[in-house]
Amino acid sequence: MPTLILVRHGRSTANTAGLLAGWTPGVALDERGAAQAAALPGRLADLPLAEVVTSPLQRCQETVAPLLAARPDLTAHTEDRIGECDYGDWSGRKLAELSDEPLMEVVQQHPSAAAFPGGESMRAMQTRAAEAVREWNARVEREHGADAVYLMCSHGDIIKSLVADAIGLHLDLFQRVSVEPCSVTAIRFTRLRPFLVRLGDTGDFGSLAPRVELPGSDAAVGGDAGAP
């Protein structure tokens, strides 16, 4: 079965503003995010990509644009099911403000029970994304062969939930997974099991260096902004 390359969108204006973007329209890549997207074709130059599938949201569309320009033979397919989690009434709000909401503790500690007011549950988010991957796996294998490699550009929580699904990790533990902006995660599928062969690879180890202010123990809902 195919190998799936999961790319999180580059750093966005919402990431740097500390906002939970969700499906809020008009969230674009910031200057650093645009540079990350511009570097993506070089990072993936050795991969014979068969298809590119992307979330409909602007920040993902902008992330794959340089790759598509560098490979005019590729066509991007938009897939709503790998769009960001629908955070409902939380969308567009500051993460610092949301940290005081009682639901945030559930999101951090028991995400399989978390449902966003006016939005969707995290279980529903994972289910739709995993179903999309399984259908695209079958399509890519049917059209390009079992050894094909294809790319999906999506969002932090979506990618983390897909990693959890692939390695049999309960959704309640998926906050232990971290994927930075424009990081590459690769899952190789076989008939019996998937193999996680890359996780959150940015090619840059700067984010592992000690920080002046150490990050807290909570996971960044929607994904963090990456190394400073």
Side-chain angles (χ1 to χ4, degrees), residues 34-220:
Q36 291 170 331
L40 193 59
R43 292 170 61 198
L44 301 178
D46 293 334
L47 289 180
L49 296 175
E51 302 280 1
V52 171
V53 185
T54 179
S55 156
L57 295 173
Q58 179 179 339
R59 52 199 184 273
C60 287
Q61 302 277 337
E62 290 179 352
T63 297
V64 299
L67 177 64
L68 295 173
R71 301 198 193 190
D73 55 312
L74 283 176
T75 301
H77 306 272
T78 298
E79 172 59 76
D80 288 350
R81 290 175 295 176
I82 63 168
E84 182 62 285
C85 184
D86 182 356
Y87 299 115
D89 298 343
W90 280 25
S91 300
R93 293 178 61 188
K94 284 191 172 292
L95 286 164
E97 157 191 316
L98 291 169
S99 65
D100 294 329
E101 295 279 354
L103 177 60
M104 183 59 85
E105 186 176 14
V106 181
V107 170
Q108 293 293 329
Q109 304 298 333
H110 191 19
S112 66
F116 296 97
E120 70 179 331
S121 69
M122 302 199 92
R123 281 182 301 151
M125 172 200 74
Q126 183 186 46
T127 297
R128 63 170 164 87
E131 286 177 349
V133 165
R134 284 168 173 77
E135 289 180 21
W136 275 99
N137 280 349
R139 174 174 172 174
V140 169
E141 181 172 8
R142 184 171 62 250
E143 296 180 3
H144 301 283
D147 295 328
V149 179
Y150 75 108
L151 180 147
M152 279 187 169
C153 184
S154 188
H155 307 265
D157 280 350
I158 295 288
I159 293 173
K160 288 162 57 176
S161 75
L162 289 172
V163 168
D165 178 75
I167 64 175
L169 186 71
H170 196 283
L171 185 62
D172 283 344
L173 302 178
F174 98 125
Q175 298 289 24
R176 300 183 184 193
V177 179
S178 176
V179 289
E180 289 197 8
C182 224
S183 63
V184 172
T185 293
I187 301 171
R188 181 172 293 127
F189 291 89
T190 72
R191 186 175 65 86
L192 296 179
R193 63 179 61 87
F195 292 90
L196 179 64
V197 292
R198 291 288 189 280
L199 176 61
D201 189 342
T202 63
D204 175 11
F205 295 102
S207 64
L208 301 181
R211 302 186 190 180
V212 176
E213 292 185 11
L214 294 176
S217 60
D218 284 350

